[in-house]
Structures are given as C-alpha cells and as structure tokens.
Amino acid sequence: MTDRAAERGPRTTGLDLHLGRLDGNVRACLMDAVRDAIRAGRLAPGTRLPSSRALAADLQVARNTVVRVYSELISEGWLTGFQGSGTVVSERVAEFFGERARPRPADTRSRPGHDLRPGHPDLSSFPRDEWIRAVKKTVGTAPFEAFGYADPRGRGELRDTLARYLARARGLRAHAGNVVVCSGAAEGLRLVAAALAATGVTRVAVEEFGLPTQRRTLADAGLETVPLDVDADGVDPSVLEGSSGIGAVLLTPSHQFPLGVALRYDRRAAIVEWARRHGALVIEDDYDGEFRYDRSPVGALQGLDRDHVLYLGTASKSLAPGLRLGWLVVPDRLVDAITAQKGDTEETVGFVNQLAMTEFVESGAYDRHIRAMRAQYRRRRRHLVETLAQHAPEVRVAGMAAGLHVLLEQPGRTGRELVQRIADEQLTVEPLSFFRHPDAASDRDGVVIGFAAPSPSGWSGVLDALVRALA
Ligand SMILES: Cc1ncc(COP(=O)(O)O)c(C=O)c1O
C-alpha cells in the first residue's frame, strides 16, 4: 500500500455515519448501510447527511454513486432532499417503524413507504449523465438569440426533431409547423381547452374513467364534459353519434387511462369518421404510448387524420414529469388559435430543456432510454402479474401488457377496502372510483397501481407488501 493509500485507509468510516465496510457492489452496499443505520436509529429522522461530495470523498467512491444512492433512497422514502437544504433522513421513517404500522408478528422487518399512485416513472433511472451531456453540448454552443424571449410555439429545432421522431416512433403525420411545445400534457390540454372554448365549443366527450385534473381543466375553460362508456375495446363510438352538440372528444386510445384497454381498430376509424362528419376534434392523449410489452406499439390515431386529431405527447412517463416538457401536434387550421393561447412569447418552457431534449432525441439517447425502461417495466409488470397469480389468484389484473400502471379487481372487496389494506402496508394507491366521471354509468370498482415508480432495488419489497395486502 502506498503512503497515501495507507493514510486514506480502507473504505470504512463514512465520517461519523459509521457506515461500515463497503465491499463488492459499492452502490448496493452503501444503500444497505444507510438503511441499516436508519433502522438501528444511528441516523434519526431529521438528521442531515453529508453532501454527496463530502461522503464520496470520505468513502473514496465516485460522487455519482453517492448521488444515485441518495436519489434512490429518496424515492424509496428513507430520505428527503430539498434544493439548498441538503439530504435529510425522512421524518416519515418514524411512521414506518412506529405505532402507525400494523403489527405483524410474522414480519418484523421495517418498511419504508412508497407512492404507487399511477403516473410516476422510475425517477432513479433518469439518465442523468446523458441529459447533462445534452445540456452541456447544446447550451454551450447555442446562439445568443436562444437566451432571449422566444417563439410561443417552442424552439424550431425541437419542433423539427419531435416531428421526425413522432413520425418514426408513433406513426404521426407531423412537421415542425404544426408542433407546439408545452409544459407537459397538462398545459397542452389547457391550451386546447381554451382554444376550443374560444371557437364556440361547449361540450367535450371524455372517457367515463380518466384523470380528474383533465376534466377540471376542461371545466375551468367553461366546457361541459360528457362521459362515454368504455368496454374491453375502448370507448363506444355509437354513443358519440347519439349525443348532440359535442365539439370534441378526449381519448387515451393507445392505452386507456386507467382501465388499460386499447381502442379497437374499427372504433378508431369510426371515431375519426365521426369527427370528419361533424367538424369535431379528437384530442389524443398519448401519455405512455411507447410502453407496450406484448407487441410493438400501435401507431397513434393522429396518423389516420391529421386534420381532425390533435395529438398530446409528454416526456413525463418516458423521462420525468419534473422536466415539464410536452408537445402538441395540431391540425394546421388550429395552430394559430392554440398558439394565441400562449401569448406573444414562450412563458412556460425554458430553452435549456428544449435544447437538451432536441440533442437527447437526435443523439439516439431517447430511443435507448425508452428501450431500457420498456425492458425494465415489462419485467416488472410480468413479475407483478405472475406473483399475484400465485399468491392472490382471485385478484384480476385488468388491461393489456402496457404502460406504467395496472387496474386490480378483487371480487368481494371494494376499491376503498383494497386501498386501506394496501395503505396498511405503507403503500399509497388510488381506488378506481377516484378516476370516475361523476355522471358515469359504470359501477366498476378496483384499485389502480402505478408499478413503475419504485426504484429497482425497492421493487421486490413493494411487491411483497402488495401480496401481503391482497392475499
Ligand atoms: C392520462 C394522463 N395523461 C397525461 C399525463 C401527463 O401529464 P403531464 O405531461 O402534464 O405530466 C398523465 C400523467 O399522469 C396521465 O396520467
């Protein structure tokens, strides 16, 4: 051993954290060591951890390793991290070990909580290095003009890149001129709702189960929402034919949210035909269209008719919701009306994310990331389905092999009962009723589980907890 190495000594101290030896897989060891220290009470709730730089230097590991470990433990609920105030042992761990946990003599392991409400990807797999590379490359060389007030449609290079990507990956008919960048699908729908209301639309059909925030967005724009029945093949277009005064329909055709079915091909055609006949608009929310596991993804509905289908896309599932990055592909005749809702300049999406996304897609990193996440989520969903089939065979997993969530139905138990049993295992989920339109005819019940959010190392513990709740 050299003098300097001897001075540094083995990887043992972790400053005053007493983390013990880090042999073998440093990341896994460090995660276990921090979890053990919290369980044993050496790291009490509220304790501030050293900065990643300081801990990395102390343990002589790469700083990135510590950053990832902190990030995974944050997503598992052991730690919390706030910009500017460092990383702190979560106050909630007391709940996991304390009187709120249901006593189970056969299982004395302590468990951190997980948020399994649908819509969250695995944030610990965010491709930090590739994203940083994309930011560095593009922001380092961007023209000064990029730093100024911007075109409300978004950066031209991103719109061009997205148009080509969406044509290739999702079968869209798009060009830079009809792509509008927005701050996630949420802002996209707000723009569309306001533009529809401005053109005299008053009623919008929606699927009978869907995101309540989307219904609220439509209502806030003064639009009445009309629920459409959804069966195993998606919404029934005959209901549209029978309703009068409907100017638009909001759909999740590739993977109904949250029931998980796909819109059957003949119904896709019938809905586009209805829109043509009535001069109406189909709003296609393609929130997780890249994630199909049993076959290659079905192309977007927009590919059938670029004049009557408005496409809503987002990076929230494929990358991370915190980017607040989404895109609309708009019928040419509506581009001005939609852009007018944004005002004279871009006010919501900063140029750094736009340029980084452009480079991220152009370099192939986006395709690689989606392929990797698709493989991870496919394995995870299969694991979930097989484990439930074995240990809780009466639970029905509804919907196709796709996306980041499943609907579970269990005869004899209401969705609310299931939510409570699952909450007793420190997992947060939503009942199906949370997504139901107040005027929906369906009395379907169950619980919606977002399976993507737990980090890879936290997943098996989550699945064990689910099985305990449902078996
Ligand atoms: C059905 C549906 N659409 C769209 C989104 C994405 O919203 P945003 O892009 O605003 O994050 C979500 C996210 O949860 C969703 O569940």
Side-chain angles (χ1 to χ4, degrees):
M1 203 186 284
T2 65
D3 286 352
R4 284 203 57 196
E7 255 169 52
R8 282 189 249 131
R11 294 166 175 163
T12 51
T13 60
L15 284 177
D16 53 351
L17 300 182
H18 307 292
L19 291 181
R21 256 197 113 82
L22 299 179
D23 294 322
N25 181 335
V26 173
R27 182 159 148 259
C29 277
L30 186 52
M31 298 222 14
D32 282 344
V34 176
R35 287 196 200 100
D36 284 346
I38 294 174
R39 272 195 207 102
R42 291 198 302 280
L43 289 174
T47 305
R48 195 176 162 145
L49 295 184
S51 71
S52 55
R53 189 189 302 279
L55 187 58
D58 185 51
L59 298 174
Q60 297 174 37
V61 301
R63 185 173 171 210
N64 244 354
T65 304
V66 180
V67 169
R68 290 208 168 124
V69 165
Y70 279 5
S71 153
E72 283 209 32
L73 291 171
I74 287 170
S75 67
E76 288 180 10
W78 296 90
L79 305 177
T80 49
F82 297 104
Q83 193 68 36
S85 61
T87 307
V88 170
V89 178
S90 168
E91 297 287 351
R92 290 187 56 210
V93 291
E95 293 169 23
F96 310 145
F97 311 141
E99 61 286 356
R100 291 240 253 132
R102 193 165 65 178
R104 281 176 180 271
D107 174 22
T108 52
R109 282 173 307 143
S110 39
R111 297 179 295 275
H114 282 273
D115 188 346
L116 302 187
R117 285 175 298 176
H120 304 272
D122 168 20
L123 301 179
S124 73
S125 295
F126 184 83
R128 288 177 194 251
D129 295 341
E130 300 254 36
W131 190 260
I132 290 167
R133 208 168 300 136
V135 170
K136 243 183 167 161
K137 178 167 174 192
T138 49
V139 177
T141 55
F144 286 122
E145 154 273 317
F147 294 70
Y149 291 106
D151 185 329
R153 291 172 302 170
R155 299 272 325 159
E157 53 277 62
L158 177 57
R159 289 188 282 120
D160 181 53
T161 293
L162 285 173
R164 282 184 287 104
Y165 169 78
L166 292 169
R168 167 169 65 78
R170 302 292 300 122
L172 262 78
R173 296 163 68 194
H175 57 93
N178 69 342
V179 176
V180 177
V181 176
C182 52
S183 171
E187 190 203 21
L189 186 61
R190 259 197 310 279
L191 301 172
V192 176
L196 286 174
T199 56
V201 172
T202 57
R203 305 179 83 207
V204 175
V206 296
E207 293 157 325
E208 60 182 343
F209 291 96
L211 265 194
T213 50
Q214 292 189 330
R215 293 196 294 267
R216 240 184 342 264
T217 296
L218 296 168
D220 287 348
L223 300 167
E224 180 195 352
T225 58
V226 180
L228 300 176
D229 296 354
V230 180
D231 61 24
D233 297 311
V235 299
D236 182 352
S238 65
V239 183
L240 273 176
E241 294 290 356
S243 312
S244 63
I246 291 181
V249 56
L250 170 62
L251 299 176
T252 46
S254 295
H255 185 220
Q256 205 284 328
F257 184 86
L259 302 179
V261 297
L263 186 60
R264 203 175 60 204
Y265 68 97
D266 56 329
R267 291 184 171 188
R268 288 160 59 101
I271 286 170
V272 166
E273 189 48 42
W274 164 84
R276 284 181 188 149
R277 251 183 295 111
H278 293 81
L281 184 69
V282 180
I283 307 164
E284 175 178 25
D285 179 3
D286 194 37
Y287 64 107
D288 69 1
E290 294 94 345
F291 296 112
R292 181 87 192 236
Y293 312 128
D294 54 342
R295 48 164 293 166
S296 45
V298 176
L301 195 59
Q302 194 269 4
L304 291 184
D305 188 330
R306 57 183 278 183
D307 295 323
H308 293 91
V309 182
L310 183 149
Y311 179 91
L312 212 52
T314 177
S316 289
K317 312 293 169 252
S318 54
L319 272 169
L323 293 175
R324 300 315 302 141
L325 201 49
W327 40 87
L328 302 173
V329 181
V330 180
D332 290 338
R333 67 192 152 88
L334 292 176
V335 171
D336 288 344
I338 299 272
T339 310
Q341 298 301 328
K342 276 207 163 184
D344 294 334
T345 59
E346 174 59 67
E347 290 184 354
T348 51
V349 194
F351 80 102
V352 175
N353 273 353
Q354 294 195 53
L355 291 183
M357 185 69 185
T358 308
E359 171 60 21
F360 199 72
V361 176
E362 291 295 349
S363 69
Y366 192 54
D367 284 77
R368 280 196 298 281
H369 180 65
I370 286 176
R371 266 201 304 278
M373 297 316 293
R374 194 186 286 137
Q376 177 179 317
Y377 296 150
R378 174 192 284 123
R379 273 196 306 276
R380 200 174 274 202
R381 188 181 184 283
R382 191 187 308 140
H383 192 192
L384 172 67
V385 170
E386 289 174 357
T387 305
L388 289 178
Q390 193 180 349
H391 298 286
E394 69 289 356
V395 173
R396 175 169 175 260
V397 183
M400 61 197 192
L404 278 58
H405 72 274
V406 288
L407 166 63
L408 302 183
E409 295 166 305
Q410 191 169 24
R413 281 192 187 143
T414 66
R416 298 230 167 254
E417 282 167 354
L418 291 172
V419 168
Q420 186 51 53
R421 291 180 68 83
I422 293 170
D424 288 345
E425 295 290 343
Q426 281 72 55
L427 303 176
T428 308
V429 295
E430 298 282 12
L432 179 60
S433 57
F434 177 76
F435 301 98
R436 183 177 175 277
H437 190 289
D439 302 331
S442 171
D443 59 357
R444 239 177 125 168
D445 203 2
V447 67
V448 183
I449 310 267
F451 58 78
S455 64
S457 60
W459 169 243
S460 60
V462 167
L463 194 49
D464 289 348
L466 265 181
V467 166
R468 281 194 299 275
L470 299 173

